[in-house]
Amino acid sequence: VQLQASGGGLVQARGSLRLSCAASGRAFSTYVMSWFRQAPGKEREFVAAISWRGVSTRYADSVKGRFTISRDNAKNTVYLQMNSLKPEDTAVYYCAGGATAAIGMNAGTYDYWGQGTLVTVSS
């Protein structure tokens, strides 16, 4: 499976962006998908994840109520809608996928990673 993230850019605080992650391969619809991010000088951290049918989701406390993860299995794409953005959301955002039974917050849970897309939030 190959993952291609897009949609990053420069946005002002309190603005919105929607990230997309397009996947190749027929197994996409069976994978748990997630988003992680890595800010300059910091470790990669979990943002959100969604079950293979899209029924269950999980969010980091720092983004709850502001970010929404969703997926369209017919399009092999997972999305991250980001609202009320803050400067501290500035990071490279990575999508990841894995054939796991649980919606994990640990990066080691996921087998496949996209190349990352940069989100910059100005104050």
Side-chain angles (χ1 to χ4, degrees):
V1 175
Q2 291 186 326
L3 304 177
Q4 180 75 33
S6 62
L10 175 63
V11 63
Q12 289 188 331
R14 296 178 297 280
S16 297
L17 276 177
R18 188 175 81 155
L19 305 184
S20 298
C21 176
S24 64
R26 292 179 291 178
F28 171 82
S29 61
T30 66
Y31 288 171
V32 171
M33 297 298 297
S34 64
W35 289 93
F36 286 74
R37 67 186 181 186
Q38 187 166 18
K42 295 188 177 181
E43 293 188 353
R44 191 171 298 190
E45 65 174 359
F46 172 79
V47 175
I50 188 167
S51 62
W52 64 275
R53 286 195 298 175
V55 173
S56 299
T57 57
R58 193 170 186 180
Y59 296 93
D61 288 342
S62 58
V63 307
K64 275 182 185 175
R66 300 189 298 122
F67 291 11
T68 303
I69 188 171
S70 61
R71 67 191 296 163
D72 185 338
N73 286 343
K75 295 182 178 180
N76 274 18
T77 302
V78 62
Y79 304 98
L80 185 68
Q81 178 67 43
M82 306 185 295
N83 299 329
S84 302
L85 282 161
K86 305 174 181 180
E88 51 263 45
D89 293 318
T90 294
V92 176
Y93 283 72
Y94 299 89
C95 60
T100 173
I103 306 176
M105 300 174 67
N106 190 322
T109 300
Y110 300 95
D111 304 306
Y112 305 102
W113 291 82
Q115 86 290 359
T117 185
L118 176 62
V119 172
T120 303
V121 184
S122 62
S123 57

Coordinates of all heavy atoms in Angstrom, one line a residue, residues 10-107:
L10 N -0.4 27.1 4.4 CA -0.3 28.2 5.3 C -1.7 28.7 5.6 O -2.4 29.0 4.7 CB 0.6 29.3 4.8 CG 0.7 30.5 5.7 CD1 1.3 30.2 7.0 CD2 1.5 31.6 4.9
V11 N -2.1 28.8 6.9 CA -3.4 29.3 7.3 C -3.3 30.1 8.5 O -2.4 29.9 9.3 CB -4.4 28.1 7.5 CG1 -3.9 27.2 8.6 CG2 -5.8 28.6 7.7
Q12 N -4.2 31.1 8.7 CA -4.1 31.9 9.9 C -4.8 31.2 11.0 O -5.7 30.3 10.8 CB -4.9 33.2 9.6 CG -4.1 34.1 8.7 CD -4.7 35.5 8.6 OE1 -6.0 35.7 8.7 NE2 -3.9 36.5 8.3
A13 N -4.5 31.6 12.2 CA -5.1 31.0 13.4 C -6.6 31.1 13.3 O -7.1 32.1 12.8 CB -4.5 31.7 14.7
R14 N -7.3 30.1 13.8 CA -8.8 30.0 13.7 C -9.3 29.7 12.4 O -10.5 29.5 12.2 CB -9.4 31.3 14.2 CG -9.2 31.6 15.7 CD -9.8 32.9 16.1 NE -9.3 34.1 15.4 CZ -8.1 34.7 15.7 NH1 -7.4 34.2 16.7 NH2 -7.7 35.7 15.0
G15 N -8.4 29.4 11.4 CA -8.8 29.0 10.1 C -9.0 27.5 10.0 O -8.8 26.8 11.0
S16 N -9.2 27.0 8.8 CA -9.5 25.6 8.6 C -8.7 25.1 7.4 O -8.3 25.8 6.5 CB -11.0 25.4 8.3 OG -11.8 25.7 9.4
L17 N -8.4 23.8 7.5 CA -7.8 23.1 6.3 C -8.3 21.7 6.3 O -8.7 21.1 7.4 CB -6.2 23.0 6.5 CG -5.4 24.1 6.1 CD1 -3.9 23.8 6.4 CD2 -5.5 24.4 4.6
R18 N -8.3 21.0 5.1 CA -8.7 19.6 5.1 C -7.5 18.9 4.4 O -7.2 19.2 3.2 CB -10.0 19.4 4.3 CG -10.4 17.9 4.4 CD -11.8 17.7 3.7 NE -11.6 17.5 2.2 CZ -12.5 16.8 1.5 NH1 -13.5 16.2 2.1 NH2 -12.3 16.7 0.2
L19 N -7.0 17.9 5.1 CA -6.0 17.1 4.6 C -6.6 15.8 3.9 O -7.6 15.3 4.4 CB -5.0 16.7 5.6 CG -4.3 17.8 6.4 CD1 -3.3 17.2 7.4 CD2 -3.7 18.8 5.6
S20 N -6.0 15.3 2.9 CA -6.4 14.1 2.3 C -5.2 13.1 2.2 O -4.1 13.5 2.1 CB -6.9 14.4 0.8 OG -8.0 15.2 0.8
C21 N -5.6 11.9 2.2 CA -4.5 10.8 2.1 C -5.1 9.8 1.1 O -6.1 9.1 1.5 CB -4.2 10.2 3.4 SG -3.0 8.8 3.4
A22 N -4.5 9.7 0.0 CA -5.0 8.8 -1.1 C -4.1 7.5 -1.0 O -2.9 7.6 -0.9 CB -4.9 9.4 -2.4
A23 N -4.8 6.4 -1.0 CA -4.1 5.1 -0.9 C -4.2 4.3 -2.2 O -5.3 4.3 -2.8 CB -4.6 4.3 0.3
S24 N -3.2 3.6 -2.5 CA -3.3 2.6 -3.6 C -3.5 1.2 -3.0 O -3.3 1.0 -1.8 CB -1.9 2.6 -4.3 OG -0.9 2.1 -3.5
G25 N -4.0 0.3 -3.8 CA -4.2 -1.0 -3.3 C -5.6 -1.3 -2.8 O -6.3 -0.5 -2.2
R26 N -6.1 -2.5 -3.0 CA -7.4 -2.9 -2.7 C -7.6 -3.2 -1.2 O -8.8 -3.2 -0.7 CB -7.8 -4.2 -3.5 CG -8.0 -3.9 -5.0 CD -8.3 -5.2 -5.7 NE -7.2 -6.1 -5.7 CZ -7.3 -7.3 -6.2 NH1 -8.4 -7.8 -6.8 NH2 -6.3 -8.2 -6.2
A27 N -6.5 -3.3 -0.4 CA -6.7 -3.6 1.0 C -7.0 -2.4 1.8 O -7.3 -2.5 3.0 CB -5.4 -4.2 1.5
F28 N -7.1 -1.2 1.2 CA -7.3 0.0 2.0 C -8.5 -0.1 2.9 O -8.5 0.3 4.0 CB -7.4 1.2 1.1 CG -7.9 2.5 1.8 CD1 -7.0 3.3 2.4 CD2 -9.2 2.9 1.7 CE1 -7.4 4.4 3.1 CE2 -9.6 4.0 2.4 CZ -8.7 4.8 3.0
S29 N -9.6 -0.6 2.3 CA -10.9 -0.7 3.1 C -10.8 -1.6 4.3 O -11.7 -1.5 5.1 CB -12.0 -1.1 2.2 OG -11.8 -2.4 1.7
T30 N -9.8 -2.4 4.5 CA -9.6 -3.2 5.6 C -8.7 -2.7 6.7 O -8.5 -3.3 7.7 CB -9.1 -4.6 5.2 OG1 -7.8 -4.5 4.7 CG2 -10.0 -5.2 4.1
Y31 N -8.1 -1.5 6.4 CA -7.0 -1.0 7.3 C -7.6 0.1 8.2 O -8.4 0.9 7.8 CB -5.9 -0.3 6.4 CG -5.0 -1.3 5.7 CD1 -4.1 -0.8 4.8 CD2 -5.1 -2.6 5.9 CE1 -3.2 -1.6 4.1 CE2 -4.2 -3.5 5.3 CZ -3.3 -3.0 4.4 OH -2.5 -3.8 3.7
V32 N -7.1 0.1 9.4 CA -7.3 1.2 10.3 C -6.4 2.3 9.7 O -5.2 2.1 9.4 CB -6.9 0.9 11.7 CG1 -6.8 2.1 12.6 CG2 -7.8 -0.2 12.3
M33 N -6.9 3.5 9.7 CA -6.1 4.6 9.1 C -6.0 5.7 10.2 O -6.8 5.9 11.1 CB -6.8 5.2 7.9 CG -6.9 4.3 6.7 SD -5.3 3.8 6.1 CE -4.6 5.3 5.6
S34 N -4.9 6.4 10.2 CA -4.6 7.4 11.2 C -3.8 8.6 10.6 O -3.3 8.6 9.5 CB -3.8 6.8 12.3 OG -2.5 6.4 11.8
W35 N -3.8 9.6 11.4 CA -3.0 10.8 11.2 C -2.1 11.0 12.4 O -2.5 10.9 13.5 CB -3.8 12.0 11.0 CG -4.5 12.1 9.7 CD1 -5.8 11.6 9.4 CD2 -4.1 12.5 8.4 NE1 -6.2 11.8 8.1 CE2 -5.1 12.3 7.4 CE3 -2.8 13.0 7.9 CZ2 -5.0 12.7 6.1 CZ3 -2.7 13.4 6.6 CH2 -3.8 13.2 5.7
F36 N -0.8 11.3 12.1 CA 0.2 11.7 13.1 C 0.7 13.0 12.7 O 0.6 13.4 11.5 CB 1.3 10.7 13.2 CG 0.9 9.4 13.9 CD1 0.1 8.5 13.3 CD2 1.3 9.2 15.2 CE1 -0.3 7.3 13.9 CE2 1.0 8.0 15.9 CZ 0.2 7.0 15.2
R37 N 1.4 13.7 13.6 CA 2.1 14.9 13.2 C 3.4 15.1 13.9 O 3.6 14.5 15.0 CB 1.2 16.2 13.5 CG 1.0 16.4 15.0 CD -0.1 17.6 15.1 NE -0.3 17.9 16.5 CZ -1.2 18.7 16.9 NH1 -2.0 19.4 16.0 NH2 -1.4 19.0 18.2
Q38 N 4.3 15.8 13.3 CA 5.6 16.1 14.0 C 6.0 17.5 13.8 O 6.2 18.0 12.7 CB 6.7 15.2 13.4 CG 8.0 15.3 14.1 CD 9.0 14.1 13.7 OE1 8.8 13.5 12.7 NE2 10.0 13.9 14.5
A39 N 6.1 18.2 14.9 CA 6.5 19.6 14.9 C 8.0 19.7 15.0 O 8.6 18.8 15.4 CB 5.8 20.3 16.1
P40 N 8.5 20.8 14.5 CA 10.0 21.0 14.6 C 10.6 20.8 16.0 O 10.1 21.4 16.9 CB 10.2 22.5 14.1 CG 9.0 22.8 13.3 CD 7.9 22.0 13.9
G41 N 11.6 19.9 16.1 CA 12.2 19.7 17.3 C 11.4 18.8 18.3 O 11.9 18.6 19.4
K42 N 10.3 18.2 17.8 CA 9.5 17.4 18.7 C 9.3 16.0 18.1 O 9.6 15.8 16.9 CB 8.1 18.0 18.9 CG 8.2 19.3 19.7 CD 6.8 19.8 20.0 CE 6.8 21.1 20.9 NZ 5.5 21.6 21.2
E43 N 8.9 15.1 18.9 CA 8.6 13.7 18.5 C 7.3 13.7 17.7 O 6.4 14.5 17.9 CB 8.7 12.8 19.6 CG 10.0 12.6 20.3 CD 10.1 11.5 21.3 OE1 9.0 11.0 21.6 OE2 11.2 11.2 21.8
R44 N 7.2 12.6 16.9 CA 5.9 12.4 16.2 C 4.9 12.1 17.2 O 5.1 11.3 18.1 CB 6.1 11.3 15.2 CG 5.0 11.1 14.2 CD 5.3 10.2 13.1 NE 6.4 10.6 12.3 CZ 6.8 10.1 11.2 NH1 6.1 9.0 10.7 NH2 7.8 10.5 10.5
E45 N 3.7 12.6 17.0 CA 2.6 12.4 18.0 C 1.3 12.0 17.2 O 1.1 12.4 16.1 CB 2.3 13.6 18.8 CG 1.8 14.8 18.1 CD 1.4 16.0 19.1 OE1 1.6 15.8 20.3 OE2 1.0 17.0 18.6
F46 N 0.5 11.2 17.9 CA -0.8 10.8 17.4 C -1.8 11.9 17.3 O -1.8 12.8 18.2 CB -1.3 9.7 18.3 CG -2.7 9.3 18.0 CD1 -3.0 8.4 16.9 CD2 -3.8 9.8 18.7 CE1 -4.3 8.0 16.7 CE2 -5.1 9.4 18.5 CZ -5.4 8.5 17.4
V47 N -2.6 12.0 16.2 CA -3.6 13.0 16.1 C -5.0 12.4 16.1 O -5.8 12.7 16.9 CB -3.4 13.8 14.8 CG1 -4.5 14.8 14.6 CG2 -2.0 14.5 14.8
A48 N -5.2 11.4 15.2 CA -6.5 10.8 15.1 C -6.4 9.5 14.3 O -5.5 9.3 13.6 CB -7.5 11.8 14.3
A49 N -7.4 8.6 14.5 CA -7.5 7.4 13.8 C -8.9 7.0 13.6 O -9.8 7.4 14.3 CB -6.8 6.3 14.6
I50 N -9.1 6.1 12.6 CA -10.5 5.7 12.2 C -10.5 4.2 11.9 O -9.6 3.7 11.2 CB -11.0 6.6 11.1 CG1 -12.5 6.3 10.8 CG2 -10.2 6.4 9.8 CD1 -13.2 7.3 9.9
S51 N -11.5 3.5 12.3 CA -11.6 2.1 12.0 C -11.9 1.8 10.5 O -12.2 2.7 9.8 CB -12.7 1.5 12.8 OG -14.0 2.1 12.5
W52 N -11.7 0.6 10.1 CA -11.8 0.3 8.7 C -13.1 0.6 8.1 O -13.2 0.9 6.9 CB -11.3 -1.1 8.4 CG -12.2 -2.2 9.0 CD1 -12.2 -2.7 10.3 CD2 -13.3 -2.9 8.3 NE1 -13.2 -3.7 10.4 CE2 -13.8 -3.8 9.3 CE3 -13.8 -2.8 7.0 CZ2 -14.9 -4.7 8.9 CZ3 -14.9 -3.7 6.7 CH2 -15.4 -4.6 7.6
R53 N -14.2 0.5 8.9 CA -15.5 0.8 8.3 C -15.9 2.3 8.6 O -17.0 2.7 8.2 CB -16.6 -0.1 8.9 CG -16.5 -1.5 8.3 CD -17.8 -2.3 8.6 NE -18.0 -2.5 10.1 CZ -19.1 -3.0 10.6 NH1 -20.0 -3.5 9.8 NH2 -19.1 -3.2 11.9
G54 N -15.1 3.0 9.4 CA -15.4 4.4 9.7 C -16.3 4.5 10.8 O -16.8 5.6 11.1
V55 N -16.6 3.4 11.5 CA -17.6 3.5 12.6 C -17.0 4.1 13.9 O -17.6 4.9 14.6 CB -18.2 2.1 12.9 CG1 -19.1 2.1 14.1 CG2 -19.0 1.6 11.7
S56 N -15.7 3.8 14.1 CA -15.1 4.2 15.4 C -13.9 5.2 15.0 O -13.2 5.0 14.1 CB -14.5 3.0 16.1 OG -15.6 2.1 16.5
T57 N -13.8 6.2 15.9 CA -12.7 7.1 15.8 C -12.1 7.4 17.1 O -12.6 7.1 18.2 CB -13.2 8.5 15.2 OG1 -14.2 9.0 16.1 CG2 -13.8 8.3 13.8
R58 N -10.9 7.9 17.1 CA -10.1 8.2 18.3 C -9.3 9.5 18.0 O -8.8 9.6 16.9 CB -9.2 7.1 18.7 CG -8.6 7.1 20.0 CD -7.9 5.8 20.4 NE -7.5 5.7 21.7 CZ -6.9 4.7 22.3 NH1 -6.6 3.6 21.5 NH2 -6.5 4.7 23.5
Y59 N -9.2 10.4 19.0 CA -8.5 11.6 18.8 C -7.6 11.9 20.0 O -7.9 11.5 21.1 CB -9.5 12.8 18.8 CG -10.4 12.7 17.6 CD1 -11.7 12.1 17.6 CD2 -10.0 13.3 16.3 CE1 -12.5 12.0 16.5 CE2 -10.9 13.2 15.2 CZ -12.1 12.6 15.3 OH -12.9 12.5 14.2
A60 N -6.5 12.6 19.7 CA -5.7 13.1 20.8 C -6.5 14.2 21.5 O -7.3 14.9 20.9 CB -4.4 13.7 20.2
D61 N -6.2 14.4 22.8 CA -7.0 15.4 23.6 C -6.8 16.8 23.0 O -7.7 17.6 23.0 CB -6.5 15.3 25.0 CG -7.0 14.1 25.7 OD1 -7.9 13.4 25.3 OD2 -6.4 13.8 26.8
S62 N -5.6 17.0 22.4 CA -5.3 18.4 22.0 C -6.1 18.8 20.7 O -6.1 20.0 20.4 CB -3.8 18.4 21.6 OG -3.4 17.5 20.6
V63 N -6.7 17.8 20.1 CA -7.5 18.2 18.8 C -8.9 17.8 18.9 O -9.7 18.1 18.0 CB -6.9 17.5 17.6 CG1 -5.4 17.8 17.5 CG2 -7.1 16.0 17.6
K64 N -9.4 17.2 20.0 CA -10.8 16.9 20.2 C -11.7 18.1 20.1 O -11.4 19.1 20.6 CB -11.0 16.2 21.5 CG -10.7 14.7 21.6 CD -11.0 14.1 23.0 CE -10.6 12.7 23.0 NZ -10.7 12.1 24.4
G65 N -12.7 17.9 19.3 CA -13.7 19.0 19.1 C -13.3 20.0 18.0 O -14.1 20.8 17.6
R66 N -12.1 19.9 17.5 CA -11.6 20.8 16.4 C -11.3 20.0 15.1 O -11.5 20.5 14.0 CB -10.3 21.5 16.9 CG -10.5 22.3 18.1 CD -9.3 23.2 18.3 NE -8.1 22.4 18.6 CZ -7.0 22.5 17.9 NH1 -6.9 23.4 16.9 NH2 -5.9 21.8 18.2
F67 N -10.8 18.8 15.3 CA -10.4 18.0 14.1 C -11.4 16.8 13.9 O -11.9 16.3 14.9 CB -9.0 17.4 14.3 CG -7.9 18.3 14.2 CD1 -8.1 19.7 14.2 CD2 -6.6 17.9 14.1 CE1 -7.1 20.6 14.2 CE2 -5.5 18.8 14.1 CZ -5.8 20.1 14.1
T68 N -11.7 16.4 12.7 CA -12.5 15.3 12.4 C -11.9 14.4 11.3 O -11.5 14.9 10.3 CB -13.9 15.8 11.9 OG1 -14.5 16.6 12.8 CG2 -14.8 14.6 11.6
I69 N -11.7 13.1 11.7 CA -11.2 12.2 10.7 C -12.4 11.4 10.0 O -13.4 11.1 10.7 CB -10.2 11.2 11.4 CG1 -9.5 10.3 10.3 CG2 -10.9 10.4 12.4 CD1 -8.4 9.5 10.9
S70 N -12.2 11.2 8.8 CA -13.3 10.5 8.0 C -12.6 9.7 6.9 O -11.4 9.9 6.6 CB -14.3 11.4 7.5 OG -13.8 12.3 6.6
R71 N -13.4 8.8 6.3 CA -12.8 8.0 5.2 C -13.9 7.7 4.1 O -15.0 7.7 4.5 CB -12.1 6.8 5.7 CG -13.1 5.7 6.3 CD -12.3 4.6 7.0 NE -11.5 3.9 6.0 CZ -10.5 3.1 6.4 NH1 -10.2 3.0 7.7 NH2 -9.8 2.4 5.5
D72 N -13.4 7.6 2.9 CA -14.3 7.1 1.8 C -13.6 5.9 1.2 O -12.7 6.1 0.4 CB -14.4 8.3 0.8 CG -15.4 7.9 -0.3 OD1 -15.7 6.8 -0.5 OD2 -15.9 8.9 -0.9
N73 N -14.1 4.7 1.5 CA -13.4 3.5 1.1 C -13.6 3.3 -0.4 O -12.8 2.7 -1.1 CB -13.9 2.3 1.8 CG -13.4 2.2 3.2 OD1 -12.4 2.9 3.6 ND2 -14.0 1.5 4.1
A74 N -14.7 3.9 -1.0 CA -14.9 3.8 -2.5 C -13.8 4.6 -3.2 O -13.4 4.3 -4.3 CB -16.2 4.3 -2.8
K75 N -13.2 5.6 -2.5 CA -12.2 6.5 -3.2 C -10.8 6.2 -2.6 O -9.9 6.8 -2.9 CB -12.5 7.9 -2.9 CG -13.8 8.4 -3.6 CD -14.0 9.9 -3.4 CE -15.3 10.3 -4.2 NZ -15.5 11.8 -4.0
N76 N -10.7 5.2 -1.7 CA -9.4 4.9 -1.1 C -8.8 6.1 -0.5 O -7.6 6.3 -0.6 CB -8.5 4.2 -2.1 CG -8.7 2.7 -2.2 OD1 -9.7 2.2 -1.8 ND2 -7.7 2.1 -2.8
T77 N -9.6 6.9 0.2 CA -9.1 8.1 0.8 C -9.5 8.3 2.2 O -10.7 8.0 2.5 CB -9.5 9.3 -0.1 OG1 -9.1 9.1 -1.4 CG2 -9.0 10.6 0.4
V78 N -8.6 8.9 3.0 CA -8.9 9.3 4.4 C -8.7 10.8 4.5 O -7.8 11.3 3.8 CB -8.1 8.5 5.4 CG1 -6.6 8.7 5.3 CG2 -8.6 8.8 6.8
Y79 N -9.5 11.4 5.3 CA -9.5 12.9 5.4 C -9.2 13.3 6.8 O -9.6 12.6 7.8 CB -10.8 13.5 4.9 CG -11.2 13.1 3.5 CD1 -12.1 12.1 3.3 CD2 -10.7 13.8 2.4 CE1 -12.5 11.7 2.0 CE2 -11.0 13.4 1.1 CZ -11.9 12.4 0.9 OH -12.3 12.0 -0.3
L80 N -8.7 14.5 7.0 CA -8.6 15.1 8.3 C -9.1 16.6 8.1 O -8.4 17.4 7.6 CB -7.2 15.1 8.9 CG -7.1 15.6 10.3 CD1 -7.8 14.7 11.3 CD2 -5.6 15.8 10.7
Q81 N -10.3 16.8 8.6 CA -10.8 18.2 8.6 C -10.3 18.9 9.9 O -10.6 18.4 11.0 CB -12.3 18.2 8.6 CG -13.0 19.6 8.6 CD -12.7 20.4 7.4 OE1 -12.7 19.9 6.3 NE2 -12.3 21.7 7.6
M82 N -9.6 20.0 9.7 CA -9.0 20.7 10.8 C -9.6 22.1 10.9 O -9.5 22.9 10.0 CB -7.5 20.8 10.7 CG -6.8 19.5 10.5 SD -5.0 19.6 10.4 CE -4.8 20.5 9.0
N83 N -10.3 22.4 12.0 CA -11.0 23.6 12.2 C -10.4 24.3 13.5 O -9.7 23.7 14.3 CB -12.5 23.5 12.4 CG -13.2 22.9 11.2 OD1 -12.8 23.1 10.1 ND2 -14.2 22.1 11.5
S84 N -10.6 25.6 13.6 CA -10.1 26.4 14.7 C -8.6 26.1 15.0 O -8.2 25.9 16.1 CB -10.9 26.0 16.0 OG -12.3 26.3 15.8
L85 N -7.9 26.2 13.9 CA -6.5 25.9 14.0 C -5.7 26.9 14.9 O -6.1 28.1 14.9 CB -5.8 25.9 12.6 CG -6.1 24.6 11.8 CD1 -5.9 24.8 10.3 CD2 -5.3 23.5 12.3
K86 N -4.7 26.4 15.5 CA -3.9 27.1 16.4 C -2.4 27.1 16.0 O -2.0 26.1 15.3 CB -4.0 26.6 17.9 CG -5.4 26.4 18.4 CD -5.3 25.7 19.7 CE -6.8 25.6 20.3 NZ -6.7 24.9 21.6
P87 N -1.6 28.1 16.3 CA -0.2 28.0 15.9 C 0.5 26.7 16.4 O 1.4 26.2 15.7 CB 0.4 29.2 16.6 CG -0.7 30.2 16.7 CD -2.0 29.3 17.0
E88 N 0.1 26.2 17.5 CA 0.7 24.9 18.0 C 0.3 23.7 17.2 O 0.8 22.6 17.4 CB 0.3 24.7 19.5 CG -1.1 24.8 19.8 CD -1.5 26.2 20.4 OE1 -1.1 27.2 19.8 OE2 -2.3 26.2 21.4
D89 N -0.6 23.9 16.2 CA -0.9 22.8 15.3 C 0.1 22.7 14.2 O 0.0 21.8 13.3 CB -2.3 22.9 14.7 CG -3.4 22.8 15.8 OD1 -3.3 21.9 16.6 OD2 -4.4 23.6 15.7
T90 N 1.0 23.7 14.1 CA 2.0 23.7 13.0 C 2.8 22.4 13.1 O 3.4 22.2 14.1 CB 2.8 24.9 13.1 OG1 2.0 26.1 12.9 CG2 4.0 24.9 12.1
A91 N 2.9 21.7 12.0 CA 3.7 20.4 12.0 C 3.6 19.8 10.6 O 2.8 20.3 9.7 CB 3.1 19.5 13.0
V92 N 4.4 18.8 10.4 CA 4.2 18.0 9.2 C 3.3 16.9 9.6 O 3.5 16.2 10.6 CB 5.6 17.4 8.7 CG1 5.3 16.4 7.6 CG2 6.5 18.5 8.3
Y93 N 2.2 16.7 8.8 CA 1.2 15.7 9.1 C 1.4 14.5 8.2 O 1.5 14.6 7.0 CB -0.2 16.3 8.9 CG -0.6 17.3 10.0 CD1 0.0 18.5 10.2 CD2 -1.6 16.9 10.9 CE1 -0.4 19.3 11.2 CE2 -2.0 17.7 11.9 CZ -1.3 18.9 12.1 OH -1.7 19.8 13.1
Y94 N 1.3 13.3 8.9 CA 1.5 12.1 8.2 C 0.3 11.2 8.3 O -0.3 11.1 9.4 CB 2.7 11.3 8.8 CG 4.0 12.0 8.7 CD1 4.4 12.9 9.7 CD2 4.9 11.8 7.6 CE1 5.7 13.5 9.7 CE2 6.1 12.4 7.6 CZ 6.5 13.3 8.6 OH 7.7 13.9 8.5
C95 N -0.1 10.6 7.2 CA -1.1 9.6 7.3 C -0.5 8.2 7.4 O 0.7 8.0 6.9 CB -2.1 9.6 6.1 SG -1.4 9.4 4.5
A96 N -1.1 7.3 8.1 CA -0.6 6.0 8.3 C -1.7 5.0 8.2 O -2.9 5.3 8.6 CB 0.2 5.9 9.6
G97 N -1.4 3.7 7.9 CA -2.4 2.7 7.8 C -1.8 1.3 8.3 O -0.6 1.1 8.1
G98 N -2.7 0.5 8.8 CA -2.3 -0.8 9.2 C -3.4 -1.8 9.3 O -4.6 -1.4 9.6
A99 N -3.1 -3.1 9.1 CA -4.0 -4.1 9.3 C -4.1 -4.6 10.7 O -3.6 -5.7 11.1 CB -3.6 -5.3 8.4
T100 N -4.6 -3.7 11.5 CA -4.6 -3.9 13.0 C -6.1 -4.0 13.5 O -7.0 -3.4 12.9 CB -3.9 -2.8 13.7 OG1 -4.1 -2.9 15.1 CG2 -4.5 -1.4 13.3
A101 N -6.3 -4.7 14.5 CA -7.7 -4.9 15.0 C -8.1 -3.7 15.9 O -9.3 -3.4 16.0 CB -7.7 -6.2 15.9
A102 N -7.1 -3.0 16.4 CA -7.5 -1.9 17.3 C -7.1 -0.5 16.7 O -6.2 -0.4 15.9 CB -6.7 -2.1 18.6
I103 N -7.8 0.5 17.2 CA -7.4 1.9 16.7 C -6.3 2.4 17.6 O -6.6 3.0 18.7 CB -8.7 2.8 16.8 CG1 -9.8 2.2 16.0 CG2 -8.3 4.2 16.2 CD1 -11.1 3.0 16.2
G104 N -5.1 2.1 17.2 CA -4.0 2.4 18.1 C -3.5 3.8 18.0 O -3.6 4.5 17.0
M105 N -2.9 4.3 19.1 CA -2.3 5.6 19.2 C -0.8 5.6 19.0 O -0.1 6.6 19.0 CB -2.6 6.3 20.5 CG -4.1 6.5 20.7 SD -4.6 7.2 22.3 CE -3.8 8.8 22.2
N106 N -0.3 4.4 19.0 CA 1.2 4.1 18.9 C 1.6 4.0 17.4 O 1.0 3.3 16.7 CB 1.5 2.9 19.6 CG 3.0 2.7 19.8 OD1 3.8 3.0 18.9 ND2 3.4 2.2 20.9
A107 N 2.6 4.8 17.0 CA 3.0 4.8 15.6 C 3.5 3.4 15.2 O 3.3 3.0 14.0 CB 4.2 5.7 15.5

